[in-house]
Amino acid sequence: MKLSKELLFDVARLSRVNISNEETDQFLDELNDVVKAFDLLSEVDTKGVSPSLHPVKITPKLREDKPEVKKKTALFGEMEDGYFVGPSLK
Amino acid sequence: MNGIVTSSNMKPIAKGVLSGVTVSFKDCICVKGLPAQSSSKILKGYIPSFNATCVEKILSQGGTIIGKTAQDEFGFGSFGINNSYDLKNPVDPTRVPGGSSSGSAIAAKTIKNHLAIAESTGGSIVNPAAFCQVFGACPTYGRVSRYGLIDYANSLDKIGVMANTLELTAKGLTVISGNCSKDSTSVDLPAEDFSKFETFKGILGVPKEYVENLSPEVKQAFQLAIEKLKSKGIQIKNISLALNAKYSIPSYYVIALSETSTNLAKYSGLRYGPQSDFKLHYNDYFTKVRQNFGVEAKRRVILGTFTRMAGYRSAYYIKALKVRTLLIEEYKKAFKQVSAIIHPTMPILPPKIKDTKNLSPIEIYNMDLLTAGVNLAGLPHLTVPIGEMVGMLITTNHFEERKMFSVGGLL
C-alpha cells in the first residue's frame, strides 16, 4: 500500500490537522516508510483468530449514572449562562 | 538538570512506607494544582483540579511530592528529544537520556532516595531507566489505576516506577498498585507486597532473536550478567519469540497510533489549552487550534486516522489486534517452558545527541524492538542495570510482579 498525496490530504482533513506545502513531501515519504512496515502484518495467518482489544481479561465495570463532578469543574473552558461556549457549527 | 520541570513541596497526608522518600510524577500524570502539559503546547495552562489515584496513594504512604518530570510530547519518543527541554543523559551528557519518561529516569539517577512515577506505552519506562542506569518497573496492564493519566493509547498505557535501588522500586510499585473504581480497566486482585520476594528458583529463558543484533557493549554486559546468574546455579535456556521479533513493532504501532488518534481528538481548544476565534467554523477552529501539536503528534494522528479509516480498518487496525492475540499466545507458550524471560532492555547504548537529529521516524520506531512485545502483551517487566547505560529486561507472566523482582534480586 502506498499513500498518494490526495489520500494524505484526505486523511489530514479527517484528522483536522493542517499540513503545510513544505511538510507534504517529507510527510509523504516518512509515512510511506511506516505504512510499508505496517504491511508486514499481512504475512500473518489470522484466520479464526479473535482480536485482543486488551492484553488481559477485563471485566466491564459500570457505575450508576449519577453526576459526581460539578458542571463547572467538568467543563473547564468558556461558560455562558451555565453552558459551554464553542465555535459555530453553521 | 534533574529532570524536574515543575517544582513543588507537597507534604504527605500520613506516615507510611515512603516516609522520607521524595517522589516525582511524569508530566502526563495529574497532580492537583500543578500544571500538566505532557510536554505539549496544546495543553499549555492546564492545571488539573484533582489528583490521579497513584498520587493519592503516594501521599497516603508518606511520600513528599517534589514536582513533575520532563517527557517526550504525549509519550511520543524513544530518546527524550521530542520536547523543548534539552535533556541530557546524567551518566554521559553527550548522549540522550532515552524516552519517553526521560525526566523520571534523570530524577531517579540524580536525586537521592527518590521515587519517580513514570508511564509506559511501548517501553517508555524501561528504555530511559536502562539508558540512565537505574531500576525501572512496569506492571501488568490493569494492575495500577490509570485514573488521572493523560492518555496516549488506552489498551497499552501503564503507570510504573523508577528508582536507584531494587528495594525502593518494588516498594513504590506496591504502593501505587490496586483496584480502582475510577478506572474501568483496573483489575480486582488482592494487594501484594512486591518487595517481599523469595529467592528465585527456576529457569530463565533467553529469546535467541532478541540477542542477535546487539552493540558490542550491550552484548558483553549481557554475557557477564548471564555468567553471574549461572554462577548462582540458575539454569538458562534458549527459547524463541520469532513472531514477536518480527511483528511486535508493526502490531504495536498500528494499535498505539489508532488509539492515539482518537485520544488526541479531545484537544480541540474547548476544554484544554489555547483557544482560537469562536467565530470560525468548528472544523476550521479545530484545525487551527491543533497547529499547537508538534510534528510527531501530527504524524501519529494522521497515521492512526488512516489505519482506522473505512477501507483500511480491517487490513491494519483489526489485523493488528488479531496479530496481538498470537503474540500474547507466543509469550504464554514460552512461560510453560521457563519461569521468566531475560534479554537486554535496549540493543544499543544511548545514542549521541548529535546523531539523533537525522533519524527517520521508522528508524526511531524500530528502537522499540526489545520492548514493544512485552508492552503489547501487557506483561510485567523490570529493567536492572548490568553495565554502564545497559539494562537487563526481566519479563514474567501476567500478575507475577513478585517473581520479576526475585529475578532482579539475583543481579
Side-chain angles (χ1 to χ4, degrees), chain B residues 265-309:
Chain B
K266 63 177 154 299
Y267 304 116
S268 57
L270 299 177
R271 292 174 65 175
Y272 315 98
Q275 297 191 331
S276 187
D277 182 2
F278 280 151
K279 286 181 187 140
L280 289 171
H281 183 273
Y282 184 80
N283 285 335
D284 299 325
Y285 179 91
F286 202 170
T287 307
K288 192 167 179 193
V289 166
R290 285 156 70 88
Q291 284 175 354
N292 287 301
F293 279 145
V295 174
E296 183 58 26
K298 279 188 188 178
R299 196 182 283 126
R300 294 192 185 208
V301 167
I302 288 173
L303 278 166
T305 305
F306 166 68
T307 51
R308 290 184 300 109
M309 264 172 88

Side-chain angles (χ1 to χ4, degrees), chain A residues 1-66:
Chain A
M1 169 75 202
K2 202 167 165 107
L3 284 174
S4 63
K5 211 177 249 192
E6 291 69 34
L7 182 55
L8 174 62
F9 286 142
D10 196 26
V11 181
R13 181 185 56 80
L14 286 171
S15 317
R16 313 289 200 279
V17 168
N18 194 31
I19 310 174
S20 66
N21 284 333
E22 301 88 72
E23 283 175 324
T24 304
D25 288 336
Q26 193 192 343
F27 256 54
L28 204 55
D29 288 344
E30 289 170 350
L31 298 188
N32 272 318
D33 273 353
V34 179
V35 171
K36 196 173 156 193
F38 289 175
D39 281 335
L40 268 182
L41 294 174
S42 66
E43 297 174 1
V44 187
D45 181 5
T46 52
K47 206 172 169 187
V49 176
S50 301
S52 288
L53 287 165
H54 292 101
V56 294
K57 195 181 172 204
I58 299 290
T59 313
K61 279 184 221 152
L62 298 172
R63 62 168 172 79
E64 275 192 67
D65 189 18
K66 282 183 185 166

Side-chain angles (χ1 to χ4, degrees), chain B residues 27-76:
Chain B
D27 200 27
C28 58
I29 299 169
C30 291
V31 180
K32 188 176 178 179
L34 295 183
Q37 250 188 266
S38 280
S39 290
S40 182
K41 279 200 285 185
I42 209 154
L43 272 167
K44 197 174 177 190
Y46 173 58
I47 299 176
S49 57
F50 67 104
N51 279 330
T53 298
C54 62
V55 174
E56 297 283 345
K57 283 175 177 280
I58 291 288
L59 289 172
S60 66
Q61 281 296 329
T64 297
I65 300 175
I66 60 163
K68 306 289 293 290
T69 50
Q71 62 169 94
D72 286 312
E73 185 182 10
F74 286 115
F76 303 155

Side-chain angles (χ1 to χ4, degrees), chain B residues 102-134:
Chain B
S102 326
S104 306
I106 298 169
K109 185 71 183 169
T110 57
I111 303 171
K112 207 177 163 190
N113 202 20
H114 184 75
L115 178 70
I117 309 296
E119 178 276 337
S120 173
T121 306
S124 287
I125 292 176
V126 294
N127 159 332
F131 280 171
C132 294
Q133 228 174 294
V134 294

Side-chain angles (χ1 to χ4, degrees), chain B residues 117-172:
Chain B
I117 309 296
E119 178 276 337
S120 173
T121 306
S124 287
I125 292 176
V126 294
N127 159 332
F131 280 171
C132 294
Q133 228 174 294
V134 294
F135 295 84
C138 183
T140 307
Y141 179 84
R143 177 74 97 165
V144 175
S145 171
R146 291 184 296 113
Y147 177 72
L149 171 70
I150 298 171
D151 40 21
Y152 165 177
N154 310 49
S155 82
L156 294 156
D157 294 344
K158 284 101 34 204
I159 295 178
V161 299
M162 291 188 213
N164 227 335
T165 64
L166 184 69
E167 190 193 2
L168 185 53
T169 309
K171 262 190 200 175

